[in-house]
Amino acid sequence: MKIVTIIGARPQFVKASVISKALRQAGHEEILVNTGQHYDDNMARIFFEEMGIPKPDYDLGVGSGTHASQTAGSLVGIEEILIKEKPDFIIVFGDTNATVAGALAAAKLHIKIAHIEAGLRSYNRDMPEEINRVVTDVLSDLLFVPTPVAVENLNKEGITSNIHVVGDVMVDSLMIYTRIAEQKSRILDDLKLEKDKFLLMTIHRPSNADHDDRLLSILKQASKVDLPVIFPIHPRSRARVEKLISKTAGNIRIIDPVGYLDMMMLEKYSKIIITDSGGVQKEAYLHKTPCLTVRGETEWVETVRDGWNYIVGDHLEKISILSKDFPEPGEWNPHYGDGQSSDKIVRLLEENLG
Ligand code: UD1
Ligand code: UDP
């Protein structure tokens, strides 16, 4: 098989790390295309190095910009590559602008689209990601979904065939790299942190990161907790947070974005995680760390149902209240698979060739 795989943003580097290996180990030809949406060393290069992601065959260098400019730049670049490479499948991951660009380019060239992490929905179209998901799913030929809930979401939109429940490739990467991180990561020592005596926070959604009032309220709530709050800061939030941080107590420690190995240790040993990230919510569950989601809803509904994830919504005071005293979570279930998703996906691609 010849596959073109599209990546561009941090969460896609994590997912590609396991899929690229599985494809190549099975003897398939993979052409890796990086749109270049994320480009800082600690948003991109560190993941390639730590996780052994192959060097991309093409780098489109779209960089930062509006949604239209990022998507259009990716679309034009991917179309040219697909015409030249003529793959059997294109693989797109998740819900970023690279995902939708890859799907649109391939659909019009009649190249089969495999969407990994299909079927997720927040039912909130204010999120650019929700638009990217809906469009990508409707165009996809193979929909690799993590959970039965994702199947239901697709069925509600009239998509009823070519759906495969394979679990989540992020379980594969988390299981592999948490083991490695336990040996190699020095982040807890470097930051002088004791296990379960700190909080991890990540905030980068436009609905939080692009509004002074909202962001300051989140920071103030986090600063009421009597523990260090480690905040690896996404470049989107950096300038605004640096402007506001002096108005809070001193327990919030802003650090540069960290690599995946350090992130695994911070997530695993944090008492509570405060986040608006999709991936981090799921990883919190996988590490059995309670999570406060600073959004009005989640795609990862299983984590909420099981009592491990609390949706803060506009009740920001819950951040300080629940960080001090999170209700005993319920039963933990392997909703997202057994860490074998990438191999399952490669087998299904082989079966659906031709
Ligand atoms: C993107 C994804 C989002 C994902 C997030 C993960 C879309 C629509 N959104 O959002 O789903 O959760 O990545 O991290 O694709 N910047 C830098 N250096 C970088 C990257 C970004 O300085 O390497 C800054 C730029 O100022 C840029 C801003 O961050 O304008 C936002 O980056 P962008 O990729 O547009 O969106 P994200 O918020 O990262
Ligand atoms: N991540 C990381 N370092 C950081 C922040 C995030 O390694 O400083 C990882 C995180 O563990 C997850 C991935 O990046 O696997 C994607 O998370 P992000 O919040 O960027 O995107 P989302 O999942 O919200 O789309």
Side-chain angles (χ1 to χ4, degrees), residues 98-248:
T99 317
V100 73
L104 276 171
K108 293 193 180 173
L109 292 169
H110 312 296
I111 290 168
K112 288 208 255 181
I113 303 164
H115 186 199
I116 297 181
E117 214 183 63
L120 295 180
R121 293 293 180 269
S122 63
Y123 295 102
N124 174 2
R125 293 239 177 143
D126 287 341
M127 291 177 70
E129 293 80 6
E130 184 75 356
I131 296 164
N132 293 342
R133 291 180 193 124
V134 169
V135 173
T136 302
D137 282 340
V138 86
L139 296 177
S140 291
D141 299 279
L142 282 177
L143 298 113
F144 294 119
V145 305
T147 59
V149 170
V151 180
E152 284 168 31
N153 293 338
L154 290 172
N155 290 347
K156 279 187 219 153
E157 292 171 19
I159 302 172
T160 53
S161 55
N162 300 316
I163 304 173
H164 301 276
V165 184
V166 291
D168 198 306
V169 293
M170 285 175 79
V171 178
D172 303 19
S173 55
L174 179 136
M175 286 172 71
I176 294 167
Y177 291 102
T178 300
R179 268 199 304 274
I180 297 173
E182 294 279 12
Q183 307 299 320
K184 286 197 173 168
S185 169
R186 298 279 159 268
I187 188 92
L188 301 184
D189 286 347
D190 289 350
L191 297 177
K192 301 191 171 38
L193 298 172
E194 279 181 65
K195 292 178 181 172
D196 291 322
K197 295 210 172 116
F198 68 94
L199 271 56
L200 171 67
M201 176 157 85
T202 81
I203 297 289
H204 74 273
R205 295 271 159 224
S207 55
N208 290 323
D210 294 358
H211 304 279
D212 276 6
D213 287 357
R214 172 100 183 166
L215 192 55
L216 181 59
S217 302
I218 295 168
L219 293 170
K220 281 194 165 159
Q221 287 299 326
S223 73
K224 285 187 190 172
V225 186
D226 204 13
L227 286 174
V229 176
I230 307 303
F231 186 2
I233 195 155
H234 186 293
R236 172 174 211 114
S237 327
R238 178 145 226 148
R240 222 177 268 273
V241 169
E242 280 175 349
K243 187 178 78 183
L244 299 170
I245 196 76
S246 62
K247 298 183 183 170
T248 68

